[in-house]
Amino acid sequence: MTDIAVVETVGALRAAVAGWHAAGEQVALIPTMGALHEGHIALVKEGQRHARRTVISIFVNPTQFAPHEDFKKYPRTFDNDRAMLVEAGADAIFFPQVEEMYPPGYATRVLLLGPAAAGLEDRFRPTHFEGVATVCCKLFTQSRADFGVFGEKDYQQLKVVTRMAADLDLGIRIVPLATIREADGLAMSSRNRYLSAEERAIAPVLHQAMQALAARIRNEDPLFRAVTEAQADIVSAGFELDYLEARHAETLAPVTSLADGPIRLLLAARLGATRLIDNIAV
Ligand code: AMP
């Protein structure tokens, strides 16, 4: 394929998907904020395993950013994104303006309970998931896609969106994909491009510390002490740590030992002005 359809309105998106459905083809939607990297392309490839057609939305969603966050400076690299999606063989890009998603008079948000209130990202970004869920709910109903592909990189978000899609009978199956990493273990992220060379050299400490912690927990080291020491290692490497916690992999409830069920380690840490998140299974 040498080009890709770029649709900017809900009507054009619906028409494209309706045409595919009429031809008996299923559709996978991959919501993104653009500034695409190999992690996003892996989501497209996963979508192609489930559905004949893939649509990637590129929308830097203002309602999921707090006023002090990086909405204005979030990287916008549309031409490069489009070239990567052509190369990946995706079928369409949904690229709406803010006014298409939130026209004058817009006044609705999705209210979330459960995993959105687990005390992880929500503790530091209290309005974030409400914005994410609202835009995802709109994207799901706008597109009427059969599958929605999401990365485990944003683990709490994956749980929130999966819960919402089921609870609101949105008629879309959420497909998770494991985190794609750089060779040194750093989770790929659009925000990695904010890192200075010096910060980039430190950044893999996050994954290393989580891997070491996971090994200690599997080894039945006392969990609280192992977590506390991993937190200290991250801080002494130069990060400001928002959280590093061991949680139940499905409910996100706090755990105190291996016996409490499948464990997921989740963290958020700041390096200079850049906030990074990551998580791994134990
Ligand atoms: P964003 O990067 O915020 O635009 O996220 C768009 C989608 O890409 C979300 O489902 C993310 O979880 C996913 N994603 C971002 N980075 C990665 C990665 N390194 N590996 C897998 N999925 C990712």
Side-chain angles (χ1 to χ4, degrees):
M1 196 196 292
T2 55
D3 207 359
I4 184 168
V6 179
V7 299
E8 298 188 3
T9 66
V10 174
L13 175 65
R14 282 233 169 110
V17 174
W20 292 324
H21 279 163
E25 296 170 341
Q26 290 195 306
V27 179
L29 172 72
I30 296 102
T32 81
M33 299 201 298
L36 301 184
H37 50 65
E38 287 308 313
H40 299 118
I41 298 307
L43 298 178
V44 175
K45 299 289 178 191
E46 182 65 18
Q48 289 168 339
R49 277 191 278 280
H50 291 272
R52 170 73 180 78
R53 301 291 181 176
T54 49
V55 177
I56 293 76
S57 60
I58 296 181
F59 181 60
V60 186
N61 174 36
T63 66
Q64 70 191 68
F65 289 80
H68 66 278
E69 292 180 345
D70 56 346
F71 173 70
K72 283 219 175 76
K73 75 161 192 174
Y74 195 85
R76 287 156 171 91
T77 60
F78 184 78
D79 290 345
N80 188 60
D81 295 348
R82 173 165 47 189
M84 289 175 74
L85 293 171
V86 168
E87 169 76 23
D91 294 282
I93 302 174
F94 180 45
F95 187 50
Q97 296 297 305
V98 171
E99 300 70 38
E100 180 72 7
M101 296 297 274
Y102 303 112
Y106 185 92
T108 301
R109 294 276 174 94
V110 176
L111 174 65
L112 303 161
L113 309 170
L120 296 163
E121 281 298 283
D122 51 298
R123 200 145 54 87
F124 296 88
R125 307 184 73 189
T127 59
H128 175 65
F129 287 123
E130 188 184 276
V132 169
T134 301
V135 80
C136 286
C137 188
K138 286 172 65 70
L139 289 166
F140 296 166
T141 56
Q142 288 166 344
S143 68
R144 297 179 176 144
D146 304 281
F147 300 91
V149 190
F150 286 78
E152 287 185 346
K153 157 80 174 18
D154 300 272
Y155 194 80
Q156 190 178 4
Q157 167 178 287
L158 170 65
K159 297 298 171 199
V160 168
V161 169
T162 303
R163 186 77 254 165
M164 174 185 69
D167 289 353
L168 298 183
D169 306 307
L170 295 179
I172 188 168
R173 204 181 111 203
I174 304 303
V175 175
L177 184 75
T179 302
I180 306 298
R181 298 180 180 280
E182 304 287 357
D184 60 13
L186 176 65
M188 288 192 185
S189 166
S190 304
R191 289 190 170 96
N192 290 351
R193 70 189 72 197
Y194 298 153
L195 299 171
S196 68
E198 194 186 329
E199 290 166 344
R200 176 64 187 82
I202 298 169
V205 165
L206 295 178
H207 185 237
Q208 289 157 10
M210 277 195 301
Q211 280 185 309
L213 174 57
R216 287 187 66 176
I217 295 172
R218 282 194 298 271
N219 237 5
E220 304 200 23
D221 274 13
L223 189 138
F224 182 78
R225 191 200 304 159
V227 169
T228 306
E229 289 175 9
Q231 290 169 341
D233 289 345
I234 289 170
V235 169
S236 62
F239 294 88
E240 286 184 73
L241 188 61
D242 280 353
Y243 59 86
L244 166 60
E245 294 203 26
R247 293 294 184 101
H248 189 283
E250 289 312 315
T251 65
L252 300 183
V255 292
T256 54
S257 81
L258 256 190
D260 287 344
I263 294 180
R264 198 91 191 175
L265 304 175
L266 303 103
L267 69 72
R270 283 167 288 128
L271 194 51
T274 306
R275 188 169 182 278
L276 301 173
I277 63 171
D278 202 351
N279 65 88
I280 62 169
V282 168

